[in-house]
């Protein structure tokens, strides 16, 4: 039975390379000299440090540009709130999404059921497996999922015929 998996996973090698590039750029830019501006990557979180909200916004802009140049969709980033660290220093945690949440998985299943295509969707951990009798139905399901959930950078892998 033909099937494919709908997944939400960023290329963490490229994310790490982009964070390293941003760290180098922070070290060389004139407007960041003598400030506490910094960026670090821990597991699946990117932590931005700065003197003010404006500085964090500048670091975020540079990060998004570097990620885009490296082919990583900026929709993978889940930006948290700005926190005061001490004195006038601030930090912000940006999480990198990985895996489809259960509510997004249910949205995918409902979109497939409501489409009247002859395919079924099953949530399997942090992926959604879609199975159907015909390859054309699966390709139509891919197009439907992309159209319904535009806010998620979904990809499709493990296509079996």
């Amino acid at each position: 039975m033909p099937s494919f998996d709908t997944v939400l996973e960023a290329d963490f090698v490229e994310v790490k390379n982009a964070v390293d590039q941003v760290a180098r750029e922070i070290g060389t830019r004139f407007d960041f000299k003598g400030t506490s501006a910094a960026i670090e990557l821990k597991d699946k979180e990117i932590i931005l440090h700065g003197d003010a909200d404006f500085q964090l916004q500048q670091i975020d802009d540079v990060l998004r540009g570097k990620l885009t140049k490296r082919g990583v969709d900026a929709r993978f980033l889940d930006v948290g709130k700005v926190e005061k660290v001490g004195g006038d220093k601030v930090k912000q945690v940006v999480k990198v999404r990985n895996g489809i949440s259960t509510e997004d998985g249910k949205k995918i299943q409902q979109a497939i059921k409501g489409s009247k295509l002859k395919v079924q969707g099953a949530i399997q951990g942090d992926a959604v497996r879609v199975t159907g009798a015909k390859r054309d139905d699966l390709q139509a399901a891919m197009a439907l999922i992309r159209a319904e959930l535009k806010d998620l950078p979904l990809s499709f892998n493990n296509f079996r015929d």
Side-chain angles (χ1 to χ4, degrees):
M1 191 113 168
S3 67
F4 67 87
D5 290 340
T6 305
V7 295
L8 179 75
E9 54 189 29
D11 186 0
F12 275 98
V13 173
E14 294 297 335
V15 171
K16 182 180 182 301
N17 289 339
V19 169
D20 289 343
Q21 282 183 337
V22 172
R24 275 195 305 259
E25 185 167 329
I26 288 172
T28 59
R29 272 180 52 167
F30 178 75
D31 55 342
F32 290 133
K33 293 256 191 229
T35 64
S36 66
I39 186 169
E40 60 181 309
L41 179 67
K42 287 186 179 177
D43 293 330
K44 296 176 182 173
E45 292 181 340
I46 302 169
I47 302 169
L48 311 176
H49 298 279
D51 289 335
D53 294 347
F54 174 71
Q55 208 170 47
L56 290 181
Q57 185 61 41
Q58 285 182 322
I59 297 170
D60 187 48
D61 290 343
V62 173
L63 176 65
R64 287 177 189 272
K66 298 293 183 188
L67 286 172
T68 304
K69 283 184 183 177
R70 296 197 146 275
V72 178
D73 198 330
R75 294 179 291 178
F76 281 113
L77 300 180
D78 189 18
V79 180
K81 292 183 179 178
V82 176
E83 306 169 13
K84 293 228 182 250
V85 176
D88 58 348
K89 310 282 188 244
V90 291
K91 83 172 189 177
Q92 187 174 28
V93 177
V94 179
K95 293 183 181 174
V96 181
R97 292 185 192 177
N98 196 22
I100 297 175
S101 66
T102 54
E103 59 208 31
D104 291 332
K106 288 179 183 178
K107 286 180 189 176
I108 293 171
Q109 278 187 318
Q110 289 173 350
I112 290 171
K113 284 182 182 176
S115 69
K116 306 290 187 220
L117 290 173
K118 294 184 179 178
V119 294
Q120 293 84 31
I123 298 174
Q124 295 185 339
D126 57 354
V128 177
R129 175 158 292 165
V130 179
T131 58
K134 296 181 184 174
R135 178 183 227 168
D136 292 340
D137 289 341
L138 292 178
Q139 290 174 340
M142 284 181 190
L144 173 80
I145 292 169
R146 278 198 182 108
E148 290 288 322
L149 298 161
K150 292 180 179 163
D151 60 331
L152 295 176
L154 297 171
S155 59
F156 307 102
N157 63 13
N158 208 10
F159 193 93
R160 302 223 168 121
D161 211 4

